[in-house]
Amino acid sequence: MKPKSIAFLLSLIVVVMVQQAEVAGQDLQQMLEDQMETSTGYVTATFKATRILNGHSIERMPEGQLDFRISHRFGRINGGAYEFFGLDQANIHLSLEYGVMDWLMVGLGRGTFEKTVDGFVKISPLRQSAGKNSFPVSISWMSGAYINGLRWSDPELEYHFKHRMEYAHQLMIARKFGPRFSLQLTPSYLHRNLVETAADPNDLFAIGAGSRLKITSRISLNAEYFYVFTPDPSTLSQPIYDPLSFGVDIETGGHVFQLIFTNSVGMRENGFLGQTTGQWLEGDIHFGFNISRVFQLKKQ
Amino acid sequence: MKTIISAAGIMLLFQVMRGQGKYLTNEGVISFYSHTVIEDITAVNEKVSAVIDSENGEVAIIVIMSEFQFEKKLMQEHFNENYVESEKYPKATFSGRISNNGEVDYQTPGEYEVRVEGEMTIHGVTREISADGTVEVERDGITARTKFMLNPEDYDIKIPRVVRNNIAERMEITTELACDPI
């Protein structure tokens, strides 16, 4: 070998060794990071509870968890001091709601409003996720049935059980935009087997929008609005208005407290979509709250 | 010509040597245990990534926080959403070395006592830590184990007064990293 080539070889070895030293000193952390597979991360806590305020959120109870919910609406604030600003009147809705599977939830309830017994099924086929299999939104579906438990208003007429029934179906599409803000759109359909007069429609369509703004790790501000497609209100036996609600979610351990201001006294779809008679601008505002207490029935 | 061949040979040799002496896993296990009179809480993460360099004892660990599995789903949600804020700080990392690496014979199967020192980052807060553990050298890899105590408040993880009695001030962290050679 010529001295020249030896010199070249030596310098090459030096170059390669320096390179190697760099590689060895290269951040082990980086090397670890580079070989990690990107996994799919599902977005959690788009909303804190299974209700935004009155209406359902895309959230469900996970498998094996039971949610005992107490919802309460007082009377109208504009009742003044005589009515203790509505606090003299009370409307309550109690329900037990259970996660059968992570994507399937069922619930049963009973409310003061029209002495309603209600039941619902909610499924969540698609979850918002990032990473390997990313998907931009979470989608849930809710179907509910409501049985009016009031005595028949006109004893002269012949009523059947089916006349007590109302049904609602809702599609929920929500997206969590970062850790602080979530938005949901809720196309809804309500069918009532029996309505007050021929002028009142049996079918109502509505589109809802709900949002959550997280202000601390345990407190968030929520708002919810449903635009109800109704015929001219003056033709109805009683004019109905769009339900609009504002509230605060406060979370502690296994409880979620939701404090609410709303123009609707009904706490279920048949009530707030079909029978909201209050108007915000008239001061027909109800204060209220939802309390959710979660019990783990089945350990994982 | 000869020069080029020998140069290529040398480069190839170094290329083969690269990565030698390193052990890696993506299925390491880290669990934590919080004990109070009222409640015991455990969570397990079985998707921990770690690499150990036997040459110099360097260790790197990456923990995806949302992979911690709890018995109660609600607790898991609270852990991610309110305590460690996984969306903001998705990873916890450890970067350090086995300080007595010279005492570990990676060629001879057996269990060796080790001390690990380095920087741990959780919830965006980095702190120097050290822990005692063992490295078990097996025929087809090594398993590193440690057990140490950790105080969440050190990492700016706030525990509200309401649940103060349910969550221990100090958590017991157990690590088991079964790594394969690469």
Side-chain angles (χ1 to χ4, degrees):
Chain A
M1 223 184 254
K2 282 179 209 155
K4 216 171 150 191
S5 6
I6 290 172
F8 173 69
L9 205 60
L10 277 175
S11 55
L12 197 76
I13 289 171
V14 170
V15 166
V16 171
M17 276 173 81
V18 167
Q19 242 181 5
Q20 277 313 117
E22 267 171 15
V23 170
Q26 192 194 40
D27 203 0
L28 211 55
Q29 199 81 33
Q30 193 56 49
M31 175 200 152
L32 187 60
E33 187 108 17
D34 292 345
Q35 63 82 40
M36 281 170 74
E37 267 182 50
T38 47
S39 54
T40 305
Y42 288 95
V43 169
T44 58
T46 306
F47 292 95
K48 208 60 257 194
T50 56
R51 303 300 193 292
I52 298 177
L53 287 166
N54 279 320
H56 278 272
S57 72
I58 51 117
E59 302 290 350
R60 327 124 324 262
M61 279 292 113
E63 183 179 340
Q65 280 188 15
L66 179 73
D67 188 9
F68 175 48
R69 295 182 64 85
I70 305 165
S71 300
H72 202 109
R73 302 290 180 273
F74 293 103
R76 290 173 175 179
I77 284 176
N78 61 2
Y82 178 72
E83 297 283 358
F84 195 29
F85 303 95
L87 267 63
D88 282 348
Q89 288 143 21
N91 268 282
I92 196 159
H93 200 109
L94 300 173
S95 63
L96 285 171
E97 305 177 357
Y98 183 70
V100 182
M101 312 283 270
D102 276 344
W103 51 271
L104 171 66
M105 170 186 176
V106 295
L108 263 182
R110 170 65 163 79
T112 315
F113 185 77
E114 292 188 332
K115 299 193 182 294
T116 302
V117 173
D118 74 299
F120 72 85
V121 175
K122 179 150 70 171
I123 57 167
S124 301
L126 288 165
R127 306 287 292 153
Q128 186 183 341
S129 58
K132 206 174 172 187
N133 301 312
S134 72
F135 194 71
V137 292
S138 292
I139 295 177
S140 294
W141 177 274
M142 192 286 299
S143 286
Y146 315 86
I147 309 167
N148 182 327
L150 291 174
R151 293 201 180 95
W152 297 120
S153 54
D154 186 350
E156 300 297 304
L157 290 175
E158 192 189 337
Y159 290 102
H160 297 289
F161 182 77
K162 66 179 181 193
H163 294 135
R164 298 190 173 277
M165 298 299 296
E166 293 173 288
Y167 305 92
H169 304 283
Q170 289 184 313
L171 176 68
M172 289 154 264
I173 305 163
R175 179 171 169 83
K176 191 175 190 179
F177 298 88
R180 294 189 58 188
F181 183 70
S182 307
L183 188 68
Q184 176 178 309
L185 287 179
T186 316
S188 309
Y189 165 66
L190 176 70
H191 175 80
R192 302 163 306 175
N193 278 354
L194 182 69
V195 284
E196 212 54 43
T197 69
D200 300 306
N202 288 89
D203 295 302
L204 280 178
F205 293 90
I207 178 120
S211 67
R212 171 185 188 224
L213 177 67
K214 197 171 153 186
I215 51 173
T216 77
S217 65
R218 287 172 186 81
I219 296 175
S220 71
L221 300 177
N222 294 1
E224 184 184 62
Y225 174 72
F226 283 90
Y227 179 82
V228 185
F229 298 91
T230 43
D232 184 1
S234 59
T235 65
L236 302 178
S237 59
Q238 190 173 22
I240 60 170
Y241 301 98
D242 296 338
L244 171 66
S245 317
F246 298 99
V248 184
D249 276 9
I250 303 165
E251 197 203 358
T252 67
H255 295 90
V256 180
F257 297 94
Q258 296 181 299
L259 304 180
I260 299 168
F261 288 95
T262 176
N263 59 336
S264 162
V265 72
M267 287 167 267
R268 288 298 182 270
E269 292 65 29
N270 64 328
F272 64 78
L273 291 178
Q275 294 175 73
T276 297
T277 54
Q279 279 181 283
W280 268 84
L281 294 176
E282 299 293 318
D284 305 332
I285 302 161
H286 302 264
F287 173 61
F289 56 80
N290 298 334
I291 298 171
S292 152
R293 167 72 214 185
V294 172
F295 300 93
Q296 181 90 29
L297 296 193
K298 217 163 75 184
K299 297 251 160 114
Q300 295 181 36
Chain B
M1 190 59 203
K2 224 189 217 167
T3 323
I4 292 168
I5 291 172
S6 22
I10 287 164
M11 279 169 116
L12 196 73
L13 190 71
F14 274 106
Q15 215 56 39
V16 171
M17 276 171 72
R18 167 203 282 233
Q20 224 180 32
K22 288 196 183 74
Y23 295 87
L24 179 118
T25 181
N26 284 305
E27 287 165 346
V29 180
I30 290 185
S31 62
F32 70 77
Y33 173 63
S34 146
H35 168 79
T36 64
V37 186
I38 297 173
E39 195 170 16
D40 286 343
I41 301 167
T42 40
V44 186
N45 186 331
E46 293 180 341
K47 292 188 176 160
V48 176
S49 296
V51 60
I52 298 169
D53 188 342
S54 64
E55 304 268 306
N56 51 16
E58 276 189 47
V59 180
I61 304 174
I62 296 177
V63 184
I64 307 292
M65 295 309 273
S66 59
E67 293 289 356
F68 275 100
Q69 303 296 321
F70 288 68
E71 247 181 19
K72 296 181 180 177
K73 279 270 172 68
L74 193 68
M75 222 174 240
Q76 191 167 326
E77 185 178 309
H78 290 159
F79 172 78
N80 287 304
E81 166 106 339
N82 301 341
Y83 293 90
V84 297
E85 302 180 82
S86 306
E87 265 173 274
K88 219 160 144 193
Y89 310 106
K91 288 170 187 166
T93 59
F94 174 80
S95 183
R97 60 176 65 241
I98 300 169
S99 50
N100 59 338
N101 192 51
E103 292 167 30
V104 184
D105 180 0
Y106 289 92
Q107 308 307 322
T108 315
E111 200 173 52
Y112 302 88
E113 306 256 318
V114 293
R115 182 156 189 82
V116 196
E117 292 170 347
E119 288 184 337
M120 185 152 75
T121 306
I122 305 174
H123 193 236
V125 179
T126 303
R127 290 180 78 95
E128 290 279 337
I129 66 153
S130 64
D132 291 323
T134 58
V135 168
E136 193 184 337
V137 176
E138 291 138 48
R139 220 166 266 284
D140 53 350
I142 60 168
T143 301
R145 297 184 181 89
T146 60
K147 193 176 262 194
F148 61 97
M149 302 301 283
L150 183 149
N151 184 352
E153 309 252 332
D154 286 347
Y155 295 90
D156 212 12
I157 297 167
K158 295 194 181 71
I159 292 161
R161 250 178 304 142
V162 215
V163 292
R164 187 62 277 181
N165 294 330
N166 300 58
I167 300 173
E169 233 160 87
R170 290 163 69 75
M171 312 264 160
E172 187 181 78
I173 315 287
T174 310
T175 310
E176 184 171 324
L177 306 167
C179 306
D180 299 322
I182 48 166

